[in-house]
């Protein structure tokens, strides 16, 4: 089922004009605040009526202003996970979870409540009140509540934004499981490159109400052009498999045949993982460096050089593990005489890769 | 209790309770609807409606009673019309209930409106995305959340109805057993020599009923607030 969105909307001095298709999997609307991503997701949910537009999921039309039709939110059957959990305070967790069920059409294939509570790890919370839950628990219940309403699609508007870093790492795996264990498409709004790298099947980059890029996470994040969040968001997204857990607390991955060492991760040997490596954590060297502490060394060919307005520049290296962008100073690039087509070596410290950068 | 109060005193207490109960019960749905409209809807004439609702609070009660008499008396346009259906307000206990309801309405509506304005509309939005239509959102989310305010409004209306005097006596007079409510009875006893002991007993009853209503409403509101939880 593909979500198809075409809409224009104008408010005060902000104008939105976007068109994109979201194939099955997780489509991340990636942009800074003010880029219009929440407006887009609210238009899809029916909480906002666009000036002009056509929105459909598969062959199901949600809104077509040219025909003057726009379904109200309760007829769209899209599960919405908001930034704040928005649980009903006068109901228990279980009553919250079951809230949407009574409104779902009878022919809807109901999600199995036991399976959902197990997947989200909220089975022990069922009799509690929302006021007795932590932020992370609330958000997991909110995900379950949306899922159990038998939605055709899940919408999530920065569901991790109100959580601290540790809790973010707790919730992200649940979205990964949602992506991998259900066939419900997800539209996910985020301004975080780490979330994009971990979750996105497709990235739709938004800037000032316009779509600037559509592509895979690796494609969009490896190029600094029109990247929301600028160069700090740029980085490699490498697909790898867990090769071995070493006794000294390191995990060795196989990334396109190259070894990659990280601090120990919980995934078992053989499991596929996605690793994000921020471009500013990558060091470049001519030739293979000797006698250095960094464990990860990837050789490759320079495919692109980008100079911005500042003192830095972006060098993109094609390595056996995938595209690896490195952010270095113009001064270094000049001193090293880097040119497109040159062979070069990327050096990455093991500890520069944080748990939030590793997804399944 | 019945031998502590004389039959006429007891009659006044029972009538007042009945009048106040029905006044509150019938006013409640209108109060919720009006409060919701004033809190949430933007429509032409909203300020006018707001003014009309508050009018009984600021008009002299005698004026309200006289206006009710003009409108709902047997000669009045509304009263004459309703008489065709066998509904008569003039000089009946139902008229006392109408007067009490009208006088209590602004207090009730105000309390409910404030609680509706305090409801986080994001919760209602969330309920909508989960498939609940507007009426279902109101029944399953808004109403449970405003319950403390609804209770507070109902108790205020009930207390006002128990004490309503001016509009009642103007509209339906002071007929023992028919329209003589507690305040009217106290007033009547004070007009005759030797009636003071009766008046004092009824004053004590008024205080007990008022305090009882207050305690019950506090208890209900506390329970409701606990159910809703601290968020």
């Amino acid at each position: 089922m593909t979500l198809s969105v075409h809409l224009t909307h104008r408010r005060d001095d902000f104008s939105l004009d976007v068109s994109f298709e979201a194939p099955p999997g997780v489509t991340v609307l990636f942009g800074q605040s003010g880029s219009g991503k929440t407006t887009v997701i609210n238009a899809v949910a029916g909480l906002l009526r666009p000036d002009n537009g056509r929105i459909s999921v598969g062959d199901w039309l949600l809104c077509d202003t040219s025909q003057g039709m726009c379904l109200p939110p309760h007829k769209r059957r899209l599960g919405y996970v908001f930034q704040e959990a928005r649980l009903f305070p006068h109901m228990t967790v279980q009553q919250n979870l079951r809230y949407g069920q009574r409104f779902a059409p009878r022919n809807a294939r109901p999600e199995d409540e036991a399976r959902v509570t197990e997947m989200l790890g909220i089975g022990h919370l069922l009799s509690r009140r929302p006021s007795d839950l932590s932020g992370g628990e609330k958000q997991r219940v909110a995900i379950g509540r949306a899922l159990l309403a038998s939605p055709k699609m899940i919408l999530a508007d920065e569901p991790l934004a109100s959580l601290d870093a540790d809790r973010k790492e707790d919730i992200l795996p649940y979205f990964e499981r949602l992506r991998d264990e259900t066939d419900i498409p997800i539209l996910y709004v985020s301004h975080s490159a780490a979330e994009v790298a971990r979750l996105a099947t497709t990235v739709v980059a938004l800037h000032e109400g316009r779509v600037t890029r559509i592509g895979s996470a690796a494609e969009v994040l490896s190029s600094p052009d029109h990247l929301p969040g600028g160069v700090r968001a740029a980085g490699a997204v490498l697909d790898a498999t867990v090769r071995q857990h070493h006794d000294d607390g390191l995990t060795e991955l196989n990334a396109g045949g190259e070894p990659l060492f990280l601090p120990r991760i919980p995934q078992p040997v053989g499991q596929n993982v996605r690793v994000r490596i921020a471009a500013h954590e990558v060091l470049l060297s001519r030739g293979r460096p000797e006698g250095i502490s960094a464990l990860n060394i990837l050789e490759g060919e320079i495919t692109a050089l980008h100079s911005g307005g500042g003192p830095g520049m972006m060098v993109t290296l094609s390595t056996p593990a995938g595209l690896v962008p490195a952010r270095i100073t113009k001064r270094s690039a000049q001193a090293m005489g880097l040119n497109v087509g040159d062979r070069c070596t990327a050096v990455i410290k093991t500890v520069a890769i944080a748990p939030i950068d590793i997804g399944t | 209790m019945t031998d502590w109060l004389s039959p006429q005193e007891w009659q006044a207490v029972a009538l007042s309770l009945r009048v106040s109960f029905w006044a509150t019960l019938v006013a409640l749905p209108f109060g919720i609807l009006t409060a919701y409209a004033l809190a949430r809807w933007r429509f032409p004439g909203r300020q006018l409606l707001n003014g009309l609702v508050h009018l009984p609070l600021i008009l002299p009660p005698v004026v309200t009673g006289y206006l009710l008499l003009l409108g709902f008396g047997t000669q009045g346009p509304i009263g004459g019309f309703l008489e065709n259906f066998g509904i008569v307000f003039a000089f009946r206990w139902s008229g006392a209930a109408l007067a009490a309801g009208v006088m209590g309405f602004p207090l009730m509506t105000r309390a409910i409106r404030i609680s509706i304005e305090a409801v986080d509309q994001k919760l209602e939005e969330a309920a909508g995305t989960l498939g609940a239509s507007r009426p279902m959102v109101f029944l399953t989310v808004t109403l449970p959340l405003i319950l403390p305010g609804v209770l507070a409004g109902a108790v205020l209306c009930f207390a006002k109805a128990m004490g309503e005097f001016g509009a009642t006596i103007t509209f339906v007079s002071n007929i023992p057993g028919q329209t003589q409510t507690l305040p009217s009875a106290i007033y009547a006893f004070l007009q005759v020599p030797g009636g003071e002991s009766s008046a004092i007993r009824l004053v004590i009853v008024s205080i007990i009923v008022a305090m009882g209503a207050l305690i019950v409403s506090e208890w209900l509101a506390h329970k409701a607030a606990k159910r809703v939880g601290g968020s």
Side-chain angles (χ1 to χ4, degrees):
Chain A
M1 229 171 349
T2 298
L3 168 75
S4 159
V5 177
H6 305 275
L7 54 92
T8 61
H9 193 68
R10 186 172 271 282
R11 275 299 165 274
D12 305 324
D13 55 351
F14 178 75
S15 94
L16 184 77
D17 184 352
V18 296
S19 255
F20 65 90
E21 309 259 312
V26 178
T27 302
V28 178
L29 286 176
F30 182 38
Q32 295 305 104
S33 53
S35 60
K37 50 198 195 311
T38 297
T39 309
V40 173
I41 202 169
N42 281 344
V44 174
L47 299 175
L48 176 141
R49 195 189 169 106
D51 294 343
N52 286 295
R54 190 176 193 285
I55 301 167
S56 59
V57 178
D59 53 7
W60 195 36
L61 193 60
L62 299 178
C63 180
D64 187 348
T65 51
S66 69
Q67 297 177 31
M69 80 80 85
C70 230
L71 289 179
H74 70 274
K75 292 200 176 140
R76 298 198 175 196
R77 299 195 38 230
L78 304 172
Y80 201 145
V81 181
F82 298 90
Q83 204 172 103
E84 339 79 51
R86 300 197 190 180
L87 299 181
F88 304 125
H90 56 294
M91 299 181 192
T92 63
V93 166
Q94 183 157 52
Q95 287 167 329
N96 268 285
L97 288 172
R98 289 180 177 172
Y99 185 82
Q101 276 176 349
R102 61 180 124 170
F103 307 117
R106 280 194 198 93
N107 59 4
R109 181 179 52 89
E111 286 291 329
D112 180 16
E113 190 179 310
R115 199 177 75 90
V116 169
T117 51
E118 189 275 330
M119 185 176 92
L120 295 168
I122 51 179
H124 61 294
L125 306 172
L126 293 178
S127 60
R128 293 219 208 144
R129 296 265 169 197
S131 52
D132 298 330
L133 303 182
S134 70
E137 287 169 339
K138 276 184 192 160
Q139 207 51 281
R140 268 143 66 194
V141 174
I143 296 169
R145 183 177 69 172
L147 204 51
L148 286 169
S150 310
K152 287 192 187 287
M153 183 166 189
I154 294 273
L155 309 176
D157 182 10
E158 306 228 18
L160 309 184
S162 59
L163 306 174
D164 57 41
D166 287 349
R167 293 287 88 71
K168 283 191 205 325
E169 281 169 41
D170 287 350
I171 302 291
L172 270 172
Y174 295 110
F175 275 102
E176 287 169 342
R177 292 184 74 173
L178 209 59
R179 176 192 64 197
D180 301 336
E181 294 176 23
T182 70
D183 50 9
I184 302 172
I186 300 171
L187 183 64
Y188 188 105
V189 161
S190 178
H191 68 265
S192 148
E195 287 169 38
V196 171
R198 284 184 63 163
L199 295 175
T201 321
T202 309
V203 182
V204 176
L206 282 180
H207 183 66
E208 291 178 351
R210 302 287 183 278
V211 175
T212 50
R213 286 206 70 179
I214 300 180
S216 70
E219 282 165 11
V220 173
L221 290 180
S222 63
S223 148
D225 290 337
H226 311 296
L227 191 61
V231 287
R232 287 203 74 80
V237 180
L238 305 179
D239 287 313
T241 49
V242 178
R243 181 182 280 161
Q244 198 184 340
H245 294 298
H246 291 279
D247 293 337
D248 58 355
L250 296 184
T251 295
E252 183 184 344
L253 304 181
N254 172 2
E258 297 285 327
L260 205 59
F261 292 92
L262 327 171
R264 173 69 59 88
I265 60 173
Q267 284 79 2
V269 172
Q271 162 110 46
N272 292 320
V273 293
R274 275 186 181 195
V275 183
R276 171 175 179 267
I277 299 166
H280 57 259
E281 300 284 9
V282 179
L283 199 134
L284 291 183
S285 157
R286 282 271 192 200
R288 208 172 170 89
E290 295 292 330
I292 59 164
S293 63
L295 292 175
N296 300 310
I297 292 165
L298 295 168
E299 284 184 54
E301 191 184 302
I302 297 174
T303 58
L305 296 165
H306 287 276
S307 294
M313 67 182 301
M314 195 71 75
V315 181
T316 309
L317 223 56
S318 171
T319 75
L323 285 179
V324 177
R327 189 172 173 232
I328 60 172
T329 56
K330 283 177 184 160
R331 181 183 292 203
S332 306
Q334 221 155 30
M336 292 167 76
L338 298 179
N339 286 303
V340 171
D342 288 0
R343 300 290 298 174
C344 199
T345 306
V347 180
I348 306 136
K349 288 173 74 174
T350 290
V351 292
I353 304 169
I356 198 152
D357 296 321
I358 301 148
T360 56
Chain B
M1 182 114 174
T2 37
D3 46 349
W4 180 65
L5 291 172
S6 76
Q8 196 196 347
E9 291 159 22
W10 179 241
Q11 221 171 32
V13 172
L15 182 73
S16 254
L17 289 172
R18 182 159 136 209
V19 161
S20 305
F21 174 78
W22 285 104
T24 307
L25 197 71
V26 174
L28 200 54
F30 295 102
I32 294 173
L33 184 71
T34 310
Y36 194 87
L38 288 174
R40 289 291 173 79
W41 298 339
R42 294 289 170 266
F43 53 93
R46 181 169 155 270
Q47 282 310 323
L48 189 71
L49 177 67
N50 192 28
L52 272 177
V53 165
H54 282 90
L55 212 53
L57 205 61
I58 41 178
L59 279 180
V62 180
V63 172
T64 306
Y66 185 58
L67 289 175
L68 284 173
L69 190 61
L70 288 180
F72 288 87
T74 40
Q75 309 296 319
I78 309 170
F81 174 73
L82 289 175
E83 212 175 336
N84 299 327
F85 305 97
I87 302 168
V88 179
F89 287 111
F91 307 109
R92 302 281 177 88
W93 77 268
S94 51
L98 177 64
V102 167
M103 294 301 286
F105 196 69
L107 297 171
M108 169 187 269
T109 306
R110 201 174 178 79
I112 298 174
R113 178 183 169 176
I114 288 168
S115 67
I116 290 174
E117 282 168 350
V119 169
D120 186 356
Q121 292 191 49
K122 289 175 169 183
L123 294 175
E124 297 172 345
E125 224 173 58
T129 66
L130 289 163
S133 60
R134 288 264 176 171
M136 276 316 277
V137 171
F138 180 79
L139 285 177
T140 58
V141 177
T142 318
L143 195 58
L145 290 175
I146 62 169
L147 208 56
V150 171
L151 288 172
V155 169
L156 278 173
C157 181
F158 185 85
K160 176 72 191 170
M162 284 297 289
E164 165 46 32
F165 175 69
T168 309
I169 206 162
T170 312
F171 182 30
V172 293
S173 184
N174 190 353
I175 310 162
Q178 284 290 326
T179 62
Q180 190 176 71
T181 57
L182 214 149
S184 313
I186 293 173
Y187 174 75
F189 282 124
L190 288 175
Q191 299 304 304
V192 294
E196 262 143 60
S197 59
S198 291
I200 290 288
R201 281 198 291 276
L202 289 181
V203 164
I204 292 169
V205 172
S206 302
I207 293 171
I208 292 172
V209 170
M211 287 300 287
L214 204 65
I215 290 167
V216 167
S217 87
E218 285 289 313
W219 179 70
L220 285 173
H222 179 72
K223 253 183 74 162
K226 225 166 102 177
R227 219 164 63 91
V228 167
S231 53

